[in-house]
Amino acid sequence: MISGAVLRARIARAASVLLLASLPAAAQEEPWDFARLMGELAQVQTSRARYTEVKRVALLQKPLQLSGTLFYERPARLEKRQTLPSREVISVDGDWLTVEREGKTRRISLQNAPLVAALVESLRATLAGDGAELEQLYKVRVEGTRQRWTLALTPREVEVAGVVKRILIAGSGSRLARLEILEPGGDGSVMTIREESP
C-alpha cells in the first residue's frame, strides 16, 4: 500500500511534468496572422541557406533533383546558385534578373517580363515582409503558429494564374523552410531550405 506522503509526491511530480509540458504548447498557440508574419520577416536584413529542390515535369520520366545555395539581402537582392546537376546562377537586383549558365550571361528587365516579375516578387516580398506588395499580387492566407506557419499565395492576375496555380511557403519565425510552386497542369517544384546561421 502506498503511503499518503508517497502518493502526494507522485501527484506533485506528475502535475509539474504536465505543467512543464504544456508551457511550450501554450506559447505556440499565440495568435498568428499575416501582419505578425510580415513583421517577423521584415526584421531580416540578410540570410543564406542551402536548398534541395525537386521539380516535377510531366514530359520527364522522373523528377529533377537540384541543389545549391540561396542568398537574400534587403531590400531587393536575391541569388539562387545551383550547383547540381549543373551550375547556374540566377540573381535579382532591383529591377534586373541575371542568368549565368554555361559561360553565358543574360539580363532581363523585370519591367518587360511581368510573369517573371510576379514570381520573383512572391519570394522577394515574402522575404522582405512586404505585405502590401504580396496582397497586391496574390490572395494571401496564413495558418499555424509562430513556430510552424504556412503562407498560401494565389495569383490575382489571370496571366499569372495561367502559369502558377498556387505558391505555398512554410517556415518558423523569420525562417523559410519550404517553398512549393504548383502549376495549373500539375507540374511544380518543392524546395526544402536549410538556413545557415549568420
Side-chain angles (χ1 to χ4, degrees), residues 112-128:
N112 297 332
L115 293 177
V116 173
L119 290 172
V120 166
E121 285 311 313
S122 68
L123 184 55
R124 190 159 56 179
T126 299
L127 289 168

Side-chain angles (χ1 to χ4, degrees), residues 49-90:
R50 296 198 170 278
Y51 76 89
T52 55
E53 185 175 9
V54 178
K55 282 192 174 185
R56 298 177 312 277
V57 180
L59 298 173
L60 300 177
Q61 290 183 352
K62 59 182 183 177
L64 293 171
Q65 306 277 337
L66 312 169
S67 64
T69 59
L70 301 169
F71 175 73
Y72 165 72
E73 182 178 45
R74 179 175 288 285
R77 184 165 173 238
L78 290 173
E79 181 182 272
K80 179 183 180 188
R81 189 172 289 271
Q82 179 183 302
T83 53
L84 292 173
S86 59
R87 295 193 175 275
E88 176 182 80
V89 178
I90 300 173

Side-chain angles (χ1 to χ4, degrees), residues 97-125:
L97 181 138
T98 304
V99 179
E100 299 173 41
R101 184 186 306 135
E102 297 175 359
K104 297 177 183 174
T105 301
R106 182 174 173 209
R107 280 177 52 102
I108 300 165
S109 167
L110 293 177
Q111 292 178 350
N112 297 332
L115 293 177
V116 173
L119 290 172
V120 166
E121 285 311 313
S122 68
L123 184 55
R124 190 159 56 179

Side-chain angles (χ1 to χ4, degrees), residues 53-56 80 118-120 122-123 138 151 153 155 160 163-169 178-191:
E53 185 175 9
V54 178
K55 282 192 174 185
R56 298 177 312 277
K80 179 183 180 188
L119 290 172
V120 166
S122 68
L123 184 55
Y138 297 91
L151 170 63
L153 305 173
V160 178
V163 178
V164 176
K165 181 177 180 181
R166 189 171 60 226
I167 298 171
L168 299 170
I169 303 170
R178 189 170 187 269
L179 172 68
E180 182 175 2
I181 298 175
L182 306 169
E183 298 175 20
D187 291 348
S189 65
V190 176
M191 180 185 288

